Amino acid sequence: MAERPIKQFYEIEKRVEQVARTISSDYKAHTKPPIMVCLLNGGASFFNDLTRNMKINVELDYMRIKTYNGNEDAGEPTTLLVPQIDLKDRDVIIVDDMSDTGVTMSEALVTVTEKQPASVKTALFLTRKNPAFTPDYVCFNNMNKTGWFYGYGMDDEGLKRNYTNLYIKNEIVEEGDKEIVEEKVDIKE
């Protein structure tokens, strides 16, 4: 079966630019640039494109929290890398690919909050329908999909992160969702 993307890179690129402009506008009057923290590995593609499109100065840092072994839930999250920049009294934006159960982001929020930042916000590439938490910034909200997302930084058993488009594996189409599966996104400026 041929893979068919659910989001083409041109759609992704336009939406990431819009989110970057919104974040830039929200932080342009701040005296210190915000610190954007990428949750590795899944958030890397979104993080790179988002930060390249920022219209203000930002500082970049990274975290890694392991919550999956392949495509299986690993149980308790394990923090493998924490931000190296001093976050005390700084505005922080945690960037990730998506929130599925909310476990990774919850762990990241606890770790960052312990460092006493002035504020903490979140930016996600996508959320599923009825997400575990509501991000401050999101590219694609309420993706009504039930399979495994891959491409654009998200993996399928450790592979396919390098695909520029977004795909879904093992999608289950629920009654009444056929139109949503076939929907073409029209992004307007």
Side-chain angles (χ1 to χ4, degrees), residues 55-106:
K55 305 302 180 198
I56 59 170
N57 287 320
V58 295
E59 288 187 68
L60 309 180
D61 211 336
Y62 303 87
M63 288 183 74
R64 185 160 186 211
I65 301 170
K66 186 173 182 152
T67 53
Y68 285 94
N69 284 323
N71 291 357
E72 299 297 318
D73 188 339
E76 289 296 314
T78 304
T79 301
L80 304 172
L81 177 68
V82 297
Q84 301 302 300
I85 298 173
D86 183 9
L87 304 180
K88 186 172 175 51
D89 300 324
R90 298 292 301 275
D91 295 309
V92 177
I93 303 165
I94 303 172
V95 180
D96 200 8
D97 53 359
M98 69 174 287
S99 176
D100 199 2
T101 62
V103 171
T104 304
M105 187 58 77
S106 293

Side-chain angles (χ1 to χ4, degrees), residues 95-124:
V95 180
D96 200 8
D97 53 359
M98 69 174 287
S99 176
D100 199 2
T101 62
V103 171
T104 304
M105 187 58 77
S106 293
E107 185 73 13
L109 287 165
V110 167
T111 301
V112 167
T113 302
E114 287 173 350
K115 302 198 179 279
Q116 302 174 335
S119 69
V120 181
K121 292 198 174 184
T122 58
L124 294 180

Side-chain angles (χ1 to χ4, degrees), residues 3-9 12-13 16 41-47 49 71 96-98 124-126 128 140 143 147-169:
E3 296 174 322
R4 193 180 106 223
I6 60 170
K7 295 287 181 202
Q8 299 277 347
F9 183 69
I12 294 168
E13 190 174 42
V16 171
N41 288 340
S45 291
F46 174 47
F47 181 78
D49 289 344
N71 291 357
D96 200 8
D97 53 359
M98 69 174 287
L124 294 180
F125 176 62
L126 63 87
R128 290 189 185 270
F140 299 102
M143 296 285 289
W148 186 266
F149 290 102
Y150 66 93
Y152 195 67
M154 292 180 265
D155 75 299
D156 179 19
E157 297 284 342
L159 302 173
K160 304 178 183 179
R161 288 186 192 279
N162 59 311
Y163 289 19
T164 55
N165 297 323
L166 180 66
Y167 299 86
I168 195 159
K169 173 181 170 180

Side-chain angles (χ1 to χ4, degrees), residues 15 125-129 131 133-135 138-144:
R15 187 65 186 125
F125 176 62
L126 63 87
T127 64
R128 290 189 185 270
K129 186 177 182 180
F133 79 100
T134 304
V138 63
C139 284
F140 299 102
N141 208 8
N142 296 317
M143 296 285 289
N144 197 19

